Amino acid sequence: MRNQYRLDIQATGAAGPLRQQTYHGDERLEVRDLSTRVTVRVSARDISPYRHTLLLDGKEFRILNVVRQL
């Protein structure tokens, strides 16, 4: 479980339930940069709730929290 990151996410524009997704730190995820609006692939360890929106299966998710799991 070392080098795992738990992302607390919620669908953008929805008041739906909070989801938790866990990723290995080296796993590359598709995100949209909030300042430039550019879609890029970033390692899970480099994701920031202040800079990124997570893209999963064509849907946008707000990143509410990133927790490193030891």
Side-chain angles (χ1 to χ4, degrees), residues 12 31-40 51-53 60:
T12 300
V31 298
R32 180 165 295 126
D33 187 289
L34 293 173
S35 62
T36 64
R37 306 301 293 163
V38 173
T39 301
V40 294
R51 291 188 49 212
H52 302 116
T53 298
E60 238 180 60

Side-chain angles (χ1 to χ4, degrees), residues 33-57:
D33 187 289
L34 293 173
S35 62
T36 64
R37 306 301 293 163
V38 173
T39 301
V40 294
R41 294 187 67 78
V42 176
S43 298
R45 75 168 48 89
D46 296 326
I47 288 182
S48 166
Y50 306 106
R51 291 188 49 212
H52 302 116
T53 298
L54 184 64
L55 303 173
L56 291 174
D57 300 323

Side-chain angles (χ1 to χ4, degrees), residues 9-26:
I9 60 175
Q10 185 174 42
T12 300
L18 175 76
R19 284 177 52 181
Q20 294 181 337
Q21 299 281 123
T22 302
Y23 300 99
H24 187 274
D26 293 329

Side-chain angles (χ1 to χ4, degrees), residues 1-7 45 66-70:
M1 191 178 231
R2 191 174 176 103
N3 201 22
Q4 298 267 333
Y5 291 80
R6 187 190 78 220
L7 276 60
R45 75 168 48 89
V66 178
V67 178
R68 182 175 180 211
Q69 298 181 326
L70 301 174

